[in-house]
Amino acid sequence: MNNHRLVYSDDIGSRCPKCGKTLQKCICRASGEPVGDGRVRVARQTKGRKGKGVSLIAGLPLAEKELKALAKELKQRCGCGGTVREGIIELQTDQRDLLVEELKKRGYQAGKAGG
């Protein structure tokens, strides 16, 4: 019986839910498997962006190419810029309600995260 559970770690970054390694060292991404827990979260963040708000979409179970294609479509829908970094779509907008609605239309279980 494996009762070992990580309580605290000073490693930087998130861990892959499948292989348990940091996202930079994840072997799942190298094999082309999509990484994500199925719960799509749309959050707003201003930290490290000089007060400018961006919307972050995390938890999408898509490969890198598919993430970039989805990001392009969402950028066109919102009329904004953005990018894909470490499996997270970053959009330069605060239209979270529109993003959640659009993701739900595409069949994802999306919801707003944070405040």
Side-chain angles (χ1 to χ4, degrees), residues 6-37:
L6 182 65
V7 176
Y8 174 80
S9 174
D10 58 358
D11 283 340
I12 297 173
S14 299
R15 295 195 172 271
C16 173
K18 290 186 179 180
C19 66
K21 298 184 182 208
T22 60
L23 292 179
Q24 291 80 16
K25 297 178 182 177
C26 176
I27 57 175
C28 299
R29 286 183 187 255
S31 66
E33 287 184 37
V35 177
D37 60 359

Side-chain angles (χ1 to χ4, degrees), residues 54-86:
V54 297
S55 295
L56 304 174
I57 303 173
L60 287 164
L62 299 173
E64 192 73 21
K65 273 186 164 182
E66 295 163 336
L67 272 177
K68 288 184 179 184
L70 178 61
K72 181 178 179 180
E73 292 172 12
L74 292 175
K75 288 189 295 186
Q76 290 174 346
R77 177 78 168 97
C78 293
C80 66
T83 188
V84 176
R85 288 190 191 149
E86 298 179 3

